[in-house]
Amino acid sequence: MAQHELGALLLTTEHDILYLTGFLTRFWQSPTRPWYLVVPARGKPVAVIPSIGAALMGRGWIEDIRTWPAPVPGDDGVSLLAQALKEVGGPVGIPSHLETHLRMPLADFEALKAQTQMSFGPDHGILANARAVKSEAEIAKIETICSVAGRAFARMGEIAGEGVPLSTVFRNFQRLLLEEGADWVPYLSGGAGPDGYDDVISPASDTPLKAGDVLMLDTGAMKDGYFCDYDRNFSVGQPSQEAANAHSRLMEAVAAGLETARPGACASDLWRAMADIVGGGETTGRLGHALGLQLTEGLSLIQADETELKPGMVITLEPGIETVEGRMMVHEENIVITTGAPRLLSPLAGSELTVI
Amino acid sequence: MAQHELGALLLTTEHDILYLTGFLTRFWQSPTRPWYLVVPARGKPVAVIPSIGAALMGRGWIEDIRTWPAPVPGDDGVSLLAQALKEVGGPVGIPSHLETHLRMPLADFEALKAQTQMSFGPDHGILANARAVKSEAEIAKIETICSVAGRAFARMGEIAGEGVPLSTVFRNFQRLLLEEGADWVPYLSGGAGPDGYDDVISPASDTPLKAGDVLMLDTGAMKDGYFCDYDRNFSVGQPSQEAANAHSRLMEAVAAGLETARPGACASDLWRAMADIVGGGETTGRLGHALGLQLTEGLSLIQADETELKPGMVITLEPGIETVEGRMMVHEENIVITTGAPRLLSPLAGSELTVI
């Protein structure tokens, strides 16, 4: 903050505030109330939050907690926040780059600018850079939820097979994740079809699995606020040669990624190592990303991302490949960068496609 | 839009875009990619979205779908969006009021303003007002997920009782919701303690339930994109007189709310009808809210909200009461406003606290 001559950071989103305060709650699901954290260049943070959150915020390390009985139409915390910012002094940095947003009504932001007459600008990625390198405690949490998902994937045969609708598989896989210890399953996607799937972001259909389908489930399950994010592919009955070959190729790409993932290498180096194997050339899309408090956060394994890898970064290796026209397979593993070879947080899949 | 002299709306958030396009996906969990919908005052909407979403968006009614291979650092869809807005013409309305935010990096919003040189201002609540009155199809979806939660609550005795840690109850209740047909459980909160709980937004602790505890679970489960949002209180063994009385009082407040919930009454009338019974006077907080695509959306049952009730509005009645110093009980039901008496979407709780 000193380097960028910032007097304060203004944070408004769930994960930035969780990272700095430990304020973990599913209450963010409600859009009604805004939450603010002011981080001064010197001194302690000030939480400016709805009174309903005071008790939970008070259990953490934040001492200066100022509340209002939100929702209050007309002045929903804006004058209280303006006062806190004026005490601390500006200029005020706000996360403004890719992947960020301001979780505050635009009209309230305009009112805040008018009331404070302070200068608001970007935070220069200060918070994202801090979050990018995980502590041992954070890595342990991610490893725990990766293990939970690993145990759930190992039980796939209990819930999936020929004739089972994909929507039932989705529902029951979430149940397995909870049984194995997930606190919550914020994300589950997947697909199924012969030689792969055509889409990985659609809700599950009620179409029953058929012999020869490749079934993929990709989960972002959560424990203690931290995510895993990896997938597994399964063959319903014996796989086609195309699917078997694609899986082998994907695992080769993962191996190349593991080989390249060293401190000093760039995100784009990792992308290239995997893109060279799965093909697609320069038009190949994102082949992984960082993760932690969010399902995806920080660096992207794309050609244009020159972010240097550092020990403590947790990332996904997520190569995808076209199997036949209009169909694909995607594989994903979670790793942590160390001073030497990366450590796998997800249990590395085998070289052959698992048959269910 | 004509009344407010707007040329276009710019929509950026999950539920506004879902409402107008049917684009239902859990992929919003990833913050990496922005999604834009431009709604012209005349003519058809234009979706400006990452290419990964083109197939799913194409399954709906939107014909003009423009994509870019996000994430693209430097120009992540901004010039494509600017072009679409310039074609349509401004001024551009953006949801800017309470409960809204702009899901777009602030730096990109500044670039958009610079590139278009158009006027950006509030949407005057156009979209929120449209969403507030539900169609029969929407009400049916909310009723379906309310029934799912009702069946899960009816099985509470299977998973909760003396000695069971609260965290285990939370985990297993999510499992019950999935078994009963929820697609997903975005929200679950609750609490437990003698004569009530001190907090309703904290994560579940590992503390085992004790005889005499009041246990409350409040769920926002989802099916086909629509939420239920209601809770149930249970007594672990026989309830104290305080807890039994509080429950009776809460059900009286709900009855008063049901009596008042008629077209033409205001949100504040509903608040007052319940506040008069649960006490607390003018300092009483929010006693309910609207719901639908979001766990909470639109009107609030607070003293300051003069929104007039209309047939088709779906709202929660959520009175809370202090039982003993520092402890409370909260009860919640979901209803739809009709031309006559409101219709309950949640199965109305009994007048006596359920013993488990």
Side-chain angles (χ1 to χ4, degrees), chain A residues 182-199:
Chain A
D183 290 339
W184 181 24
V185 187
Y187 187 73
L188 179 66
S189 69
D195 297 323
Y197 20 88
D198 57 357
D199 178 7

Side-chain angles (χ1 to χ4, degrees), chain A residues 142-229:
Chain A
I142 299 170
E143 190 158 26
T144 298
I145 187 63
C146 281
S147 300
V148 165
R151 294 194 296 273
F153 277 127
R155 293 174 60 189
M156 202 65 181
E158 293 178 23
I159 63 162
E162 199 179 338
V164 182
L166 187 59
S167 54
T168 303
V169 175
F170 269 48
R171 197 164 281 126
N172 283 328
F173 188 68
Q174 294 178 83
R175 176 173 62 72
L176 292 185
L177 287 163
L178 291 162
E179 286 179 6
E180 294 298 339
D183 290 339
W184 181 24
V185 187
Y187 187 73
L188 179 66
S189 69
D195 297 323
Y197 20 88
D198 57 357
D199 178 7
V200 294
I201 73 165
S202 296
S205 73
D206 294 330
T207 308
L209 295 174
K210 288 182 287 292
D213 276 358
V214 176
L215 164 68
M216 184 275 286
L217 289 185
D218 183 358
T219 189
M222 179 184 277
K223 195 166 179 73
D224 281 343
Y226 283 82
F227 273 96
C228 66
D229 178 20

Side-chain angles (χ1 to χ4, degrees), chain A residues 68 154 222 321 326:
Chain A
W68 81 97
M222 179 184 277
I321 195 169

Side-chain angles (χ1 to χ4, degrees), chain A residues 24-27 30-32 56 59 96 99-100 105 107 171 174 178 182-185 187 199 201-203 286 296, chain B residues 24-27 30-32 56 59 96 99 105 107 171 174 178 182-185 187 199 201-203 286 296:
Chain A
L24 176 65
T25 170
R26 288 171 76 162
F27 203 63
S30 165
T32 299
L56 180 58
R59 283 181 219 158
S96 304
E99 301 203 344
T100 68
R171 197 164 281 126
Q174 294 178 83
L178 291 162
D183 290 339
W184 181 24
V185 187
Y187 187 73
D199 178 7
I201 73 165
S202 296
R286 184 156 92 146
T296 74
Chain B
L24 176 64
T25 169
R26 288 170 76 163
F27 203 63
S30 165
T32 299
L56 180 58
R59 282 180 221 162
S96 303
E99 302 204 343
R171 197 164 281 126
Q174 294 178 85
L178 292 162
D183 290 338
W184 180 25
V185 186
Y187 186 73
D199 178 7
I201 73 164
S202 295
R286 184 157 91 146
T296 75

Side-chain angles (χ1 to χ4, degrees), chain B residues 94-110:
Chain B
I94 300 180
S96 303
H97 50 83
L98 218 68
E99 302 204 343
T100 66
H101 68 268
L102 181 72
R103 189 182 181 278
M104 172 180 194
L106 269 187
D108 283 2
F109 185 46
E110 292 306 320

